[in-house]
Amino acid sequence: MTETIARAIDRSHMQVSDEVAIQIVQMNKWYGTFHVLRDINMTVNRGERIVICGPSGSGKSTLIRCINRLEEHQAGQIVVDGTELTSDLKNIDKVRSEVGMVFQHFNLFPHLTILENCTLAPIWVRKTPKKEAEEIAMHYLRKVKIPEQANKYPGQLSGGQQQRVAIARSLCMKPRIMLFDEPTSALDPEMIKEVLDTMIELAEEGMTMLCVTHEMGFAQAVANRVIFMDQGQIVEQNEPREFFNNPKSERTKLFLSQILGH
Amino acid sequence: MSDTHAQTVPFVRDTMLPQANPPTTEAGAVRWMRENLLSGPLNVILTLLAIAAIYWVVQGMLPWLLASVWNAGSIAECRQIIADAGRESGACWAVIRERWPQFLFGFYPNHLYWRPVTALLLLFVALAPVLFSKAPRQLLWFSAIYPGLAFWLLWGGSVFVPVVALLGLALGWAAFHFGQRISPLAGVVAAILLPVLWWLFLAGPVAEDLGNLLPRSMPWWMEEVRSDKFGGFVLALTIGVSGIALSLPLGIVLALGRQSDMFLIKSLSVCFIEFIRGVPLITLLFTASLLLNYFLPPGTTFDIILRVIIMVTLFAAAYIAEVIRGGLAALPRGQYEAADALGLDYFRAQRLIILPQALKISIPGIVSTFIGMFKDTTLVVFVGLLDPLKGITDAVRASPDWKGIYWEPYIFVGAIFFIFNFSMSRYSMYLERKLKTDHR
């Protein structure tokens, strides 16, 4: 799907700094007795854009859900922005308000308008005054190019529009890291582009991004690192050109031949 | 249009078709009749049968209703008037005309009827801001003090009893407000502990002392009406409205408790819900009226209506908890995850995201429970209270004048119940329409 990203990408702000944003050390996770994540080690620097891919059930969603503690890990260490994730609720809430997340099924709040969806967390978590929160929300809605929908309800919007609202909603919390969990998998082909464009724009501004996706065009255009996972392990990681043109492991080669085969 | 000869395989539409009206036979009353009454042989038969059934009911009831008697002093007089008119049978509404105060007020003192009436009228004022978002928000203050005001109007006595009781709530609110600054948990604990301590140890003496300080006259004191004077719809509404107002919050807490990850809270909620749902309401009412006396220290007077309200509330709350649990279960996991991912804590996520949606889904079930509970208030007759349906009707039928009257009082009481319950049902439908935002 390389052709979906036709325009030239401005890489001037996409600098990777030495500052560590996320550090994962020897992390393991089980669902009951099933070992979903095995010995995950990974460092993400500020400004990095990482695409995680792999077959279904390989644990890629679980991995990024561990980063904001939607899933609990049982062994190892996850440090986000200098805060270690433990069962301490204060730390968890702190990390969650710094890390934005976009879901496959958008998960907008259907009983609130688009604007209310965007202002809810700033008002209640950040204690931003309502007026200011609305200004911030409108700023990000303009950025994702749907300010005119502000007073509609999520059910009245198309899938692509809903996903862009979901991105704006996360951005309203001014996160330092954004997690994307298959943001385009539930969308019609016509709408994938508008969401990817929004994500590319975000990358151009230097946002630290972790993205689980099968959009290999997006990975080639934006990512500075691609991670391939299988059976709960990181099998291969490399910068995109090398990863796609010269994969090392047999498992990666098989996977790439299957998704790029036609 | 030029599409008519478009049978060839390559085809390009050059004009888009505009929207056209349907044929006349497919619209209006004719279509409605054909579709809804006469769509096939079976439907025609059913329509005819239904018309016959309606005719049969009406021809049975209409002569009885047409021969209604409104002015008579006793049932014998009633029958005489009907016989004189040459009718076989007729409705004797004279009993309602003569005894309606009893149906509505029970044995509430005549000269004080204005008090329950005022309480009922003010109830609508207090309900307006709660039920309709268009009503002015400032009225919510009135809704907050209404329970105390209604208590004072209904039972009378010293104004300080409800005032001191409401002070307990204000105290709880203040404790919550200041406790929050220390920690959220401290706020919750203080908000529960302080009012309970206040009610248990200080409220009684304070109210008594204040009452003694001031003269026993109007702004401070109203004639007392004891609970055994309550009856009819004053009693049914007192129990019903209090039960509804108290059981909803309790039901929400129980539903959340049952969903909780904390083992102890979950087990307690499950036990409570299953126990209360597992026993008949009558059992609870008997417990309230008889058994409770054995457990309370001798000499304690614990108002019977208050006891019944508590039991009815617990009973309805258990049902409402299950209805709301259904609503909670219907929400996709994604809603919880999105709330978590935005950094909302448990209470805010519940209040802002989960409960508004779960309660919306549960509206029909909650209102059904309320309607059922309001009708169940008639069961208080078994603990010696004069409910409108049996208590008052029996009292009326026991009088020599109206011995033998049967249909009319029940129809009257049933009609009043119907008005209240139908209003509730209509309101719930209005609310569902108003809250429909998902456009599915």
Side-chain angles (χ1 to χ4, degrees):
Chain A
M1 277 231 172
T2 321
E3 62 280 1
T4 56
I5 299 147
R7 68 193 177 87
I9 288 180
D10 172 15
R11 287 183 172 265
S12 60
H13 291 91
M14 294 164 79
Q15 303 294 328
V16 176
S17 79
D18 296 337
E19 193 190 337
V20 174
I22 302 169
Q23 175 108 48
I24 299 176
V25 182
Q26 281 294 316
M27 192 260 278
N28 280 275
K29 173 171 177 59
W30 289 263
Y31 281 134
T33 54
F34 178 59
H35 199 172
V36 257
L37 291 177
R38 309 177 195 177
D39 286 352
I40 304 287
N41 287 294
M42 167 175 168
T43 305
V44 181
N45 287 346
R46 185 147 323 283
E48 266 201 293
R49 299 151 318 270
I50 294 176
V51 162
I52 303 171
C53 60
S56 65
S58 58
K60 49 195 193 307
S61 284
T62 310
L63 170 61
I64 71 164
R65 288 159 60 88
C66 281
I67 293 171
N68 67 352
R69 193 79 173 186
L70 285 183
E71 303 285 353
E72 202 177 315
H73 59 283
Q74 279 89 32
Q77 213 183 17
I78 302 178
V79 181
V80 180
D81 254 339
T83 311
E84 191 185 347
L85 282 170
T86 55
S87 52
D88 184 347
L89 287 175
K90 271 221 168 77
N91 282 353
I92 295 174
D93 283 340
K94 182 158 172 257
V95 166
R96 282 175 177 168
S97 61
E98 299 293 332
V99 177
M101 181 149 196
V102 175
F103 300 88
Q104 181 178 3
H105 295 289
F106 332 132
N107 296 350
L108 294 178
F109 306 129
H111 62 302
L112 301 176
T113 62
I114 299 307
L115 189 64
E116 287 165 341
N117 262 281
C118 294
T119 55
L120 185 105
I123 289 175
W124 291 95
V125 180
R126 289 254 191 274
K127 310 283 179 207
T128 316
K130 188 170 177 224
K131 201 142 192 113
E132 202 185 320
E134 281 176 356
E135 279 162 21
I136 298 170
M138 285 313 291
H139 169 76
Y140 285 110
L141 286 175
R142 271 193 294 276
K143 200 173 150 79
V144 300
K145 301 188 181 64
I146 33 175
E148 71 283 357
Q149 313 282 8
N151 293 313
K152 290 195 182 164
Y153 286 95
Q156 292 165 291
L157 270 55
S158 75
Q161 289 174 324
Q162 290 193 43
Q163 192 59 296
R164 284 186 283 152
V165 171
I167 295 174
R169 177 175 73 178
S170 296
L171 292 178
C172 284
M173 288 293 281
K174 307 246 169 89
R176 309 188 68 187
I177 300 165
M178 284 287 283
L179 307 174
F180 293 85
D181 188 1
E182 307 206 25
T184 55
S185 307
L187 296 175
D188 291 339
E190 275 185 281
M191 293 164 184
I192 291 178
K193 184 179 178 316
E194 60 188 57
V195 171
L196 288 182
D197 281 345
T198 309
M199 290 166 63
I200 290 167
E201 224 171 279
L202 210 52
E204 283 171 350
E205 286 162 19
M207 176 66 78
T208 311
M209 293 165 71
L210 265 84
C211 187
V212 173
T213 184
H214 296 115
E215 296 296 331
M216 292 304 140
F218 172 79
Q220 277 173 326
V222 175
N224 58 340
R225 187 152 38 121
V226 180
I227 294 179
F228 174 68
M229 287 184 71
D230 191 25
Q231 294 172 29
Q233 295 149 75
I234 293 178
V235 175
E236 186 165 347
Q237 57 173 316
N238 211 332
E239 54 104 10
R241 193 171 313 165
E242 272 296 293
F243 179 85
F244 288 110
N245 298 337
N246 196 9
K248 303 284 184 299
S249 113
E250 284 307 310
R251 188 66 195 85
T252 316
K253 284 178 195 163
L254 181 66
F255 176 76
L256 287 176
S257 75
Q258 271 163 349
I259 64 163
L260 300 173
H262 49 84
Chain B
M1 302 290 146
S2 57
D3 304 340
T4 39
H5 49 73
Q7 288 89 353
T8 47
V9 176
F11 167 72
V12 180
R13 180 174 291 284
D14 45 17
T15 45
M16 299 305 270
L17 300 177
Q19 183 167 312
N21 288 325
T24 43
T25 51
E26 287 302 312
V30 180
R31 172 171 180 238
W32 185 89
M33 292 255 291
R34 211 179 55 222
E35 271 191 4
N36 294 297
L37 297 176
L38 310 163
S39 70
L42 179 65
N43 209 334
V44 171
I45 294 171
L46 287 177
T47 302
L48 291 176
L49 280 177
I51 290 172
I54 293 168
Y55 172 76
W56 183 72
V57 170
V58 168
Q59 65 90 31
M61 273 188 69
L62 208 58
W64 185 75
L65 283 173
L66 285 176
S68 293
V69 174
W70 287 92
N71 287 308
S74 70
I75 189 160
E77 207 177 308
C78 244
R79 282 178 181 156
Q80 189 59 47
I81 294 170
I82 293 163
D84 288 349
R87 303 263 192 174
E88 213 172 291
S89 69
C92 183
W93 300 113
V95 63
I96 308 299
R97 189 189 164 93
E98 192 186 289
R99 295 299 188 95
W100 65 267
Q102 225 176 339
F103 281 103
L104 299 188
F105 299 100
F107 293 98
Y108 210 86
N110 290 14
H111 63 285
L112 297 178
Y113 279 175
W114 66 272
R115 276 166 38 182
V117 170
T118 314
L120 180 65
L121 293 178
L122 290 179
L123 172 67
F124 291 116
V125 179
L127 280 180
V130 180
L131 297 185
F132 300 101
S133 52
K134 284 201 192 85
R137 294 293 90 191
Q138 291 87 336
L139 269 182
L140 278 172
W141 279 107
F142 181 73
S143 313
I145 60 160
Y146 177 78
L149 185 61
F151 174 85
W152 192 48
L153 279 169
L154 287 170
W155 275 275
S158 165
V159 73
F160 291 107
V161 175
V163 166
V164 163
L166 280 179
L167 265 180
L169 288 182
L171 206 64
W173 182 81
F176 181 71
H177 197 71
F178 290 108
Q180 282 267 302
R181 293 189 187 167
I182 306 166
S183 83
L185 188 69
V188 174
V189 171
I192 296 171
L193 215 61
L194 239 68
V196 169
L197 290 176
W198 167 258
W199 286 323
L200 277 182
F201 299 110
L202 282 171
V206 168
E208 203 171 314
D209 290 347
L210 281 170
N212 291 337
L213 272 176
L214 292 157
R216 294 201 153 197
S217 61
M218 189 38 198
W220 316 113
W221 180 271
M222 279 200 298
E223 188 179 336
E224 262 181 295
V225 180
R226 293 209 348 235
S227 287
D228 53 6
K229 299 281 181 221
F230 280 56
F233 280 97
V234 167
L235 180 71
L237 280 171
T238 305
I239 298 172
V241 171
S242 327
I244 286 172
L246 295 170
S247 63
L248 184 60
L250 185 59
I252 292 174
V253 170
L254 283 171
L256 292 179
R258 193 165 187 170
Q259 296 282 80
S260 166
D261 294 334
M262 284 178 270
F263 177 73
L264 209 62
I265 289 181
K266 189 185 168 115
S267 319
L268 279 175
S269 306
V270 171
C271 287
F272 179 89
I273 292 170
E274 295 302 341
F275 172 73
I276 298 275
R277 280 203 313 168
V279 296
L281 179 56
I282 303 266
T283 317
L284 295 178
L285 292 179
F286 280 139
T287 312
S289 79
L290 304 169
L291 283 176
L292 228 53
N293 281 349
Y294 292 107
F295 295 121
L296 290 171
T300 10
T301 50
F302 196 52
D303 189 86
I304 179 72
I305 294 184
L306 188 61
R307 281 187 266 174
V308 165
I309 287 176
I310 291 174
M311 284 306 179
V312 167
T313 301
L314 297 182
F315 191 74
Y319 280 87
I320 285 176
E322 285 300 277
V323 170
I324 293 175
R325 189 167 70 96
L328 289 171
L331 286 193
R333 262 209 72 67
Q335 293 291 312
Y336 293 86
E337 288 178 353
D340 282 347
L342 285 171
L344 293 167
D345 59 28
Y346 175 82
F347 291 103
R348 290 202 186 109
Q350 293 296 339
R351 194 176 110 212
L352 300 166
I353 309 297
I354 307 304
L355 281 177
Q357 296 184 61
L359 289 178
K360 186 178 87 179
I361 300 172
S362 319
I363 289 171
I366 292 175
V367 174
S368 282
T369 312
F370 284 164
I371 288 176
M373 190 189 79
F374 185 48
K375 291 187 292 183
D376 282 351
T377 57
T378 51
L379 292 175
V380 297
V381 71
F382 291 108
V383 294
L385 290 171
L386 289 168
D387 82 298
L389 192 66
K390 186 164 165 59
I392 296 290
T393 305
D394 280 1
V396 168
R397 290 170 63 207
S399 70
D401 282 351
W402 302 106
K403 208 175 172 71
I405 199 142
Y406 194 73
W407 287 96
E408 293 84 347
Y410 291 126
I411 292 177
F412 176 68
V413 172
I416 294 185
F417 268 112
F418 179 80
I419 290 169
F420 280 109
N421 290 334
F422 188 65
S423 316
M424 277 196 255
S425 153
R426 285 280 125 176
Y427 175 75
S428 93
M429 287 165 80
Y430 155 82
L431 202 59
E432 275 175 69
R433 264 198 316 279
K434 195 184 86 164
L435 297 179
K436 188 168 160 42
T437 57
D438 51 359
H439 303 276
R440 263 186 281 204

